[in-house]
Amino acid sequence: MAENKPLAELVAACRWIGARGWSPATGGNISQRRDAHSCFITASGLDKGDLGPDDFITVDIHTGETQSGRRPSAETGLHAFLYRRFPEVGCVLHTHSVSATVLSRAEQGSALRLSGYEMQKALAGQSDHQDEVAIAVFDNAQDIPALVQRIAQRDKITPLRYGFLMRGHGLTCWGRDVREARRHLEGLEFLFECEWRRRLLEAK
């Protein structure tokens, strides 16, 4: 298939995520921008650690229509919103790691605020560990259009950067391409793990 070649890097990212246990069972969803009007996204109900190029579906980011008739991931609307909102975004990764899931419930505010970690510099545009990185936190919902609306409303007030958390659900992050999205994911996961352990120590 002609579309398989551009997906090689994305398939490798999926297997990397699966090997790290960040999308257990069939959780999570992964996508890559195809062009200004569409993206490739994982089909629903698949193990992200065992995907191949044929397991991705082309979806119109404006209408949600697919070209194959197969069912895309349940959270396709979130990916489509991010591609519409940020024309520079080329890849979106949604994972269900333990640290992201736990912190998303432990954090009661509207954002998880991180500061003092050298690993913050893994995020594009961050050059000082003393700066604050705020990762938005949203209540989880099964009504994806309503959730997208809430996220869009927050974004108008406080523009999203790097990613966001959904309580009890996990992390959605992005980058200009697969490589940057992977770096953001790995950096954020490291920061979440550090913050989780820091809070546990301070609670003793």
Side-chain angles (χ1 to χ4, degrees):
M1 291 176 64
E3 292 180 349
N4 284 2
K5 188 175 179 180
L7 288 171
E9 198 173 11
L10 193 63
V11 168
C14 289
R15 293 177 180 173
W16 170 75
I17 288 168
R20 287 174 174 256
W22 288 345
S23 286
T26 60
N29 32 77
I30 313 296
S31 70
Q32 181 178 2
R33 184 187 292 277
R34 181 185 180 197
D35 52 37
H37 307 288
S38 63
C39 70
F40 300 109
I41 193 165
T42 43
S44 180
L46 299 178
D47 183 342
K48 305 308 175 290
D50 191 32
L51 294 179
D54 293 337
D55 295 317
F56 289 83
I57 299 170
T58 299
V59 176
D60 188 305
I61 63 173
H62 300 284
T63 67
E65 294 179 356
T66 68
Q67 296 181 355
S68 66
R70 290 186 294 166
R71 187 162 63 95
S73 170
E75 280 114 14
T76 296
L78 292 174
H79 293 247
F81 162 71
L82 291 168
Y83 290 125
R84 294 194 306 269
R85 170 64 179 86
F86 302 109
E88 71 277 15
V89 166
C91 178
V92 178
L93 307 175
H94 168 52
T95 54
H96 292 190
S97 74
V98 173
S99 57
T101 304
V102 170
L103 271 182
S104 70
R105 296 194 64 183
E107 177 55 57
Q108 298 302 304
S110 61
L112 175 65
R113 302 184 183 279
L114 304 165
S115 182
Y117 297 108
E118 182 70 10
M119 189 56 70
Q120 291 168 210
K121 288 156 56 175
L123 305 174
Q126 293 293 324
S127 59
D128 194 325
H129 70 282
Q130 295 180 342
D131 290 341
E132 181 182 82
V133 173
I135 304 299
V137 183
F138 298 94
D139 290 334
N140 192 23
Q142 303 306 309
D143 185 339
I144 299 302
L147 179 59
V148 168
Q149 187 174 28
R150 283 196 283 117
I151 293 172
Q153 289 172 347
R154 171 88 69 84
D155 176 63
K156 288 180 181 178
I157 300 169
T158 306
L160 297 169
R161 294 188 72 185
Y162 315 119
F164 57 80
L165 289 163
M166 288 186 285
R167 286 193 173 91
H169 191 154
L171 169 69
T172 298
C173 70
W174 52 86
R176 290 170 296 179
D177 51 28
V178 176
R179 183 173 299 180
E180 184 175 80
R182 280 182 61 157
R183 190 181 81 241
H184 287 169
L185 174 61
E186 188 168 24
L188 286 169
E189 287 292 351
F190 179 89
L191 291 166
F192 294 161
E193 181 75 16
C194 288
E195 184 65 10
W196 178 20
R197 295 190 185 197
R198 183 190 69 81
R199 292 187 183 195
L200 285 174
L201 287 172
E202 290 186 350
K204 290 182 179 180

